Amino acid sequence: MTPTDDRRLPPPLQALTGVEFEYGTEGDGIEFELYPAFLSTEETTAWFRAWTGNREVTGDAFRVFGQDGTGGLTAAWLVRPAAPLTAQPIVHLGSEGEMGVVARDLSAFLWLLADGFGPYEAVDPRERARPARRVPELAAVAARFAPEGRQSAKAVMDEAAREFPGFEDEILRLCA
């Protein structure tokens, strides 16, 4: 994929644009806001340079599509050469330096959401430990676009951590 690729969201993410993610009064929901399109190449590079403190990096390896309430961003990480966007892992880089791969691909990400976990919840150790809470509207989107990928949020998070154990080190190497 190149930085000039189409910035429209793939159909599974487009289907989520009408869903309001609720965090809830007890903080037991999903802290996530989905953008209507991927950030531009320029916006993504500006964000990644600010996040890393490195003026030499670009954001070419990311397609940012959402954020949490503190400004942490969620993106597809274009790490699998020649794989379609929907097969790329989903990552979250938080406003306070927290980061991680939250799902191995878009299908797994949909099931993470269906179980009541967003990207922020998947990288925060306290949030990861809470019980799953099925969200029927999100489960319907996951069943529609990824029926063969049904799994629990815990399985999604564990699988992502196993497949991409070096993500944090790779990002930290880019920091100034």
Side-chain angles (χ1 to χ4, degrees):
M1 304 210 127
T2 66
T4 57
D5 286 342
D6 188 352
R7 293 292 168 156
R8 290 177 293 176
L9 298 177
L13 289 178
Q14 286 177 9
L16 294 173
T17 59
V19 175
E20 185 166 334
F21 295 89
E22 297 203 19
Y23 192 56
T25 57
E26 301 297 316
D28 59 352
I30 299 173
E31 177 67 37
F32 185 62
E33 176 189 345
L34 181 68
Y35 297 154
F38 290 113
L39 290 184
S40 71
T41 301
E42 297 78 20
E43 290 171 309
T44 302
T45 292
W47 155 73
F48 197 54
R49 285 179 176 169
W51 200 93
T52 61
N54 182 345
R55 305 302 303 158
E56 303 299 317
V57 298
T58 69
D60 292 351
F62 301 98
R63 294 294 179 275
V64 177
F65 62 88
Q67 70 177 41
D68 65 28
T70 67
L73 298 184
T74 301
W77 179 34
L78 309 180
V79 70
R80 292 184 171 127
L85 183 77
T86 56
Q88 302 293 342
I90 306 301
V91 300
H92 185 75
L93 287 94
S95 63
E96 301 300 319
E98 63 275 64
M99 68 181 108
V101 178
V102 301
R104 67 178 314 276
D105 59 22
L106 187 54
S107 292
F109 181 69
L110 295 176
W111 287 106
L112 178 81
L113 295 173
D115 245 4
F117 286 83
Y120 169 78
E121 292 81 23
V123 299
D124 182 274
R126 294 167 307 206
E127 295 289 332
R128 283 179 64 106
R130 73 175 195 203
R133 184 180 57 86
R134 184 56 53 125
V135 180
E137 191 174 10
L138 296 172
V141 173
R144 177 177 166 208
F145 288 98
E148 72 293 338
R150 182 180 299 263
Q151 58 187 321
S152 70
K154 181 173 178 8
V156 169
M157 293 183 279
D158 290 348
E159 184 178 70
R162 272 193 310 276
E163 186 170 350
F164 299 99
F167 173 73
E168 188 171 329
D169 290 340
E170 189 168 331
I171 297 300
L172 290 174
R173 275 194 294 279
L174 298 173
C175 292

